[in-house]
Amino acid sequence: MQTGLRILRILAILVIAGSLPAQGQDRPDAAAVERGRIALTQRGHLKKAWNREAYDRAGGQWGTTHPDPKTDPSGYQTAFNQRYGLHPAPYPNDGLPMGLRAGMNGGIQIDCMVCHGGSIGGKSYVGLGNSTLDLRTFFDDVSRADGQPAPLSPFTLTTTRGTVNAGQIAAFLLSLRNADFSRRRFPLPLGADLPELDTPAWWHLKRKKTMYYDGRTPQSSVRTNMQFIMGEKSLDELKELESTFSDIRAYLLSLTPPKYPFPIDSAKAERGQKVFLANCKSCHGTYGPDGKYPSKIVALEEIGTDPARAKGLSDGLIAHYNATWFGDHDKANPKMVGYQASPLDGIWATAPYFHNGSVPTIWGVLKSSDRPSVYRRPSSTGFEHYDQTKVGWKVEVLTKTPDISKMPGHEARYIFDASRVGLGNQGHTFGDELTDAERMDLIEYLKTL
Ligand code: HEC
Ligand code: HEC
């Protein structure tokens, strides 16, 4: 159990500094946003997970030659990022990639951006879900490089680059607390069984009334964003950090998506807008200055996408969450409905699609018979892998399912297989009746959002 919990401890101590002063109700928004940006991207850690040297030594685990971290730090970081699916930090970060953070006591730690920081076309963004992350290989290599055993986890953390089981991590941490937040030696049997997920874009949050893929948590909740740090914290420490997380939430609500960087055919996009208004807006809302977003949660039977995430959130977990400090206000909805139709702002940049990242392009979202089931994900988020026609990632479709048991883990996790638990690519057949021409027009319109 000791080692089994270590991986969770690493995540549990994702750190955001608690040193900012508590704020009053009437603080100016712009100031809160700025405090949140600093708290999220610039503030230090409370506890380290690894010694700093582990970053430099990780290359020793790769079994290949690599640039020397001392004489060619940027070459080394490029190779490091490639191996783990990380991205350069678009803010000062002590020479570390986005998602890693220098610790107060010389060590390193991961932070929110290991999952919530991505890049596209060579540019990094805070809030773009990381679609290339291989957290398993990262934990294994860096721990070994630090002289620690590779951490075990009591559930599957990830089988594919870019998808990660964030929900079960939070569920597990919560199961180790009683309702009054006293610690338990053995987890409560809450029955949650969540699958790995694609990380959603943060810039959608401001349009939503409810959040997470199933839309069961009020978007206004600050505390829900603190679940990852609960493993290390007492209730008093969490309470002290609440105002900092309120600032972080303000910063998340200020984020905007990047603009589509290639030419758009405006006549096509105008035709596509009509197709959109006729077929899509009831769930996905409208866009532009008067845009309205309904925050609609669609029943599982109607949406038909993989049900594992919606069903895996157990009644026991929700009841327990609501009985703790997390649910004191902003309670999670005890009723399971299905999946929330997300806003589509910046949708060009957030492939692969659906909550499980099962569909590489918008074309596939809109034509279910064209979705590949077994494929190799691209090796980077560079534009050489970007498909401007279908909008999303070019993947190498495999006709035969490779025997991943014979492949090294980091190679195996390039393979996406829709037959794995939670990774089904079915459902959302709302574009199937369109003609190919209408679909192309619609995609041109989606590029403008
Ligand atoms: C291990 C990867 C990972 C880490 C680390 C992580 N998240 Fe997330 N986050 C996710 C995933 C995956 C989801 C979708 C969960 C779901 O809906 O079930 C998510 C959802 C969210 C959402 C809701 C977005 C929406 O529109 O519904 C917010 C807000 C959020 N995370 C904030 C944070 C903050 C703040 C941190 C750091 C304290 C953090 N996350 C750390 C992976 C991660
Ligand atoms: C009945 C409601 C409904 C209709 C109609 C609908 N969608 Fe969706 N859409 C959803 C839901 C719910 C999801 C999330 C499914 C999931 O992740 O499992 C989704 C997901 C998507 C996604 C992927 C989002 C992402 O970030 O991964 C795209 C793109 C999309 N829809 C586009 C469209 C377009 C274009 C149309 C019109 C042809 C349309 N949808 C019609 C409900 C709907």
Side-chain angles (χ1 to χ4, degrees):
M1 205 61 175
Q2 202 73 43
T3 19
L5 294 184
R6 205 157 54 79
I7 194 165
L8 297 157
R9 195 170 55 76
I10 292 167
L11 284 152
I13 52 187
L14 275 180
V15 187
I16 308 298
S19 54
L20 302 179
Q23 291 87 30
Q25 293 295 317
D26 55 345
R27 61 195 177 194
D29 263 359
V33 167
E34 179 57 10
R35 283 194 304 268
R37 184 186 67 78
I38 290 168
L40 186 69
T41 68
Q42 296 299 300
R43 288 296 164 113
H45 308 232
L46 302 177
K47 294 209 172 150
K48 67 178 182 183
W50 307 277
N51 292 299
R52 168 81 193 216
E53 294 70 34
Y55 170 75
D56 287 354
R57 289 192 195 131
Q61 302 292 315
W62 305 342
T64 53
T65 54
H66 55 80
D68 184 287
K70 293 275 180 297
T71 57
D72 182 8
S74 85
Y76 180 74
Q77 196 189 111
T78 302
F80 187 96
N81 288 353
Q82 174 65 42
R83 167 98 178 167
Y84 306 115
L86 295 173
H87 310 271
Y91 44 79
N93 206 36
D94 295 307
L96 293 167
M98 176 158 58
L100 298 193
R101 180 64 62 95
M104 282 163 80
N105 44 356
I108 52 171
Q109 179 54 279
I110 57 170
D111 64 21
C112 308
M113 276 74 75
V114 77
C115 299
H116 287 283
S119 75
I120 184 159
K123 219 172 154 217
S124 296
Y125 298 90
V126 171
L128 171 62
N130 187 351
S131 65
T132 51
L133 178 68
D134 181 352
L135 197 55
R136 178 81 263 169
T137 304
F138 172 80
F139 281 156
D140 290 356
D141 284 4
V142 176
S143 298
R144 288 192 188 112
D146 201 33
Q148 306 180 38
L152 304 170
S153 79
F155 51 87
T156 304
L157 188 62
T158 167
T159 70
T160 307
R161 276 173 93 88
T163 53
V164 62
N165 202 338
Q168 196 67 18
I169 294 168
F172 191 74
L173 292 174
L174 198 63
S175 75
L176 293 171
R177 298 298 184 109
N178 293 306
D180 65 2
F181 243 70
S182 54
R183 287 178 194 275
R184 301 179 52 84
R185 268 193 77 191
F186 298 102
L188 281 164
L190 299 175
D193 185 12
L194 293 158
E196 58 196 296
L197 300 167
D198 186 53
T199 302
W202 271 341
W203 59 71
H204 288 156
L205 204 58
K206 59 169 162 296
R207 298 197 78 190
K208 294 176 162 182
K209 285 197 198 71
T210 49
M211 64 198 249
Y212 298 135
Y213 284 120
D214 57 1
R216 290 173 68 178
T217 306
Q219 184 265 72
S220 54
S221 178
V222 169
R223 294 181 185 179
T224 193
N225 293 330
M226 301 176 74
Q227 290 182 80
F228 272 129
I229 63 164
M230 81 178 107
E232 275 291 307
K233 307 272 184 231
S234 67
L235 187 52
D236 284 344
E237 287 167 327
L238 284 178
K239 286 179 180 166
E240 237 170 75
L241 278 169
E242 194 176 358
S243 67
T244 299
F245 270 76
S246 172
D247 292 340
I248 288 174
R249 176 173 168 271
Y251 176 63
L252 302 189
L253 296 178
S254 79
L255 295 173
T256 50
K259 292 252 172 297
Y260 188 72
F262 304 108
I264 297 177
D265 179 334
S266 54
K268 245 172 115 180
E270 252 172 62
R271 290 197 302 272
Q273 183 175 23
K274 297 201 178 75
V275 182
F276 185 84
L277 294 175
N279 295 281
C280 320
K281 83 161 191 201
S282 61
C283 291
H284 290 289
T286 53
Y287 297 80
D290 305 320
K292 289 205 170 45
Y293 170 68
S295 240
K296 189 165 166 181
I297 304 163
V298 183
L300 268 190
E301 311 80 71
E302 189 181 358
I303 185 70
T305 49
D306 191 291
R309 163 63 181 83
K311 289 185 174 163
L313 196 67
S314 61
D315 294 348
L317 177 63
I318 291 286
H320 187 54
Y321 175 96
N322 283 341
T324 66
W325 178 77
F326 290 109
D328 263 0
H329 33 78
D330 299 313
K331 286 202 188 317
N333 185 347
K335 193 170 166 328
M336 193 273 281
V337 177
Y339 295 116
Q340 181 160 338
S342 60
L344 300 175
D345 310 84
I347 194 72
W348 73 271
T350 61
Y353 300 107
F354 293 155
H355 69 275
N356 56 10
S358 57
V359 180
T361 63
I362 298 184
W363 177 268
V365 168
L366 299 177
K367 188 169 186 180
S368 61
S369 58
D370 270 7
R371 297 175 191 164
S373 289
V374 185
Y375 53 87
R376 256 185 82 85
R377 287 200 165 181
S379 56
S380 83
T381 56
F383 280 142
E384 65 275 23
H385 301 293
Y386 191 77
D387 188 331
Q388 293 181 45
T389 310
K390 295 183 171 175
V391 175
W393 297 117
K394 292 176 191 160
V395 298
E396 185 194 336
V397 180
L398 304 174
T399 43
K400 229 175 87 211
T401 308
D403 182 358
I404 55 164
S405 69
K406 298 212 170 70
M407 299 164 78
H410 83 278
E411 276 297 321
R413 280 184 283 277
Y414 273 101
I415 312 285
F416 180 92
D417 182 347
S419 69
R420 290 186 202 141
V421 176
L423 297 185
N425 61 0
Q426 69 274 24
H428 194 288
T429 51
F430 313 113
D432 282 2
E433 302 296 313
L434 302 173
T435 64
D436 281 359
E438 286 171 326
R439 216 171 271 129
M440 289 317 303
D441 290 347
L442 181 51
I443 289 176
E444 204 67 12
Y445 170 66
L446 294 176
K447 292 174 180 174
T448 70
L449 304 184

